[in-house]
Amino acid sequence: MPIDVDEVQRRKEIARATLAVAARDGARAITIRAVAKELGGSTAMVTNYVPTRTALIINAVRAAESRWRTDLEARLEDLVGRERLRTTVEWHLSTEPDDLLLRTLWVEMLSSAHTDPNGVDHREPRESRQEFVDAAIAAGVPDAELAADILSLLTRGYFISTVEDPAYWTAERAGRVARAVVDALVED
């Protein structure tokens, strides 16, 4: 008789194991075999739910996205106008250790786009851009769509910059940039 497995729970376990491998050994060390070993099971235990290395990375990043959304919503709960926009941008420019690890995975995922066009997660960038549109509208930015494009390019560029030189891109430096950009976008 087959074992009844909760697919959502198994994908979460695989995501945690993927992050553990990446945190310990680096993003390049993520393989189906390494994740299966981390879980203490066979490669079939992984491939039944996440069939490729790129899918492992996407699964780990998507698992983090729900935590990100909850955190952002909590920070924005009572904020309005310019402060809401500034906090949204600063949140996207955070430099928590888990963020850096996930950005490394994000860059790794993007590097496989030429061989696996389905390996790029388009959902998160679109959700982030919509958050910028909403926050820009709330702040009274005259062209919220353009503001969202600028902020999307800023944050995506920041992701790469923090992978390239994490020591330079401190929270203070990123916050200063976020404030300057928001101040330039919001008319007084």
Side-chain angles (χ1 to χ4, degrees):
M1 178 167 238
I3 299 172
D4 189 24
V5 176
D6 180 344
E7 183 175 343
V8 172
Q9 185 59 35
R10 180 55 53 93
R11 286 180 176 277
K12 286 179 182 178
E13 292 167 0
I14 292 169
R16 282 191 296 272
T18 302
L19 292 172
V21 169
R24 183 183 60 243
D25 303 324
R28 290 288 200 198
I30 296 172
T31 63
I32 290 172
R33 186 173 311 240
V35 171
K37 183 178 178 185
E38 184 72 25
L39 288 168
S42 69
T43 56
M45 183 175 150
V46 174
T47 58
N48 284 338
Y49 304 93
V50 187
T52 66
R53 179 179 185 275
T54 301
L56 282 172
I57 293 170
I58 291 171
N59 182 58
V61 170
R62 282 192 177 153
E65 287 173 10
S66 64
R67 291 192 318 268
W68 290 342
R69 297 284 163 239
T70 301
D71 183 54
L72 178 60
E73 289 169 13
R75 290 178 192 234
L76 297 177
E77 191 171 358
D78 297 323
L79 299 178
V80 296
R82 180 187 293 222
E83 200 53 39
R84 183 179 185 88
L85 179 58
R86 180 176 286 137
T87 300
T88 300
V89 176
E90 288 177 347
W91 180 86
H92 278 275
L93 300 180
S94 69
T95 54
E96 299 297 320
D98 283 350
D99 294 334
L100 185 56
L101 174 62
L102 288 163
R103 286 183 192 130
T104 302
L105 294 180
W106 180 75
V107 169
E108 187 75 15
M109 177 180 61
L110 291 179
S111 72
S112 68
H114 69 285
T115 58
D116 184 2
N118 297 322
V120 177
D121 182 7
H122 297 284
R123 183 179 62 192
E124 193 278 329
R126 289 177 182 148
E127 288 175 359
S128 294
R129 186 182 177 286
Q130 188 59 51
E131 289 165 356
F132 291 137
V133 169
D134 296 343
I137 290 169
V141 174
D143 189 343
E145 293 288 330
L146 177 60
D149 288 344
I150 291 167
L151 296 171
S152 292
L153 289 173
L154 169 70
T155 56
R156 295 307 188 206
Y158 175 75
F159 291 178
I160 292 170
S161 296
T162 58
V163 171
E164 290 174 331
D165 193 357
Y168 182 81
W169 288 104
T170 63
E172 294 77 25
R173 185 176 302 276
R176 186 169 165 234
V177 169
R179 287 185 295 281
V181 171
V182 170
D183 289 346
L185 291 171
V186 178
E187 295 178 354
D188 289 321

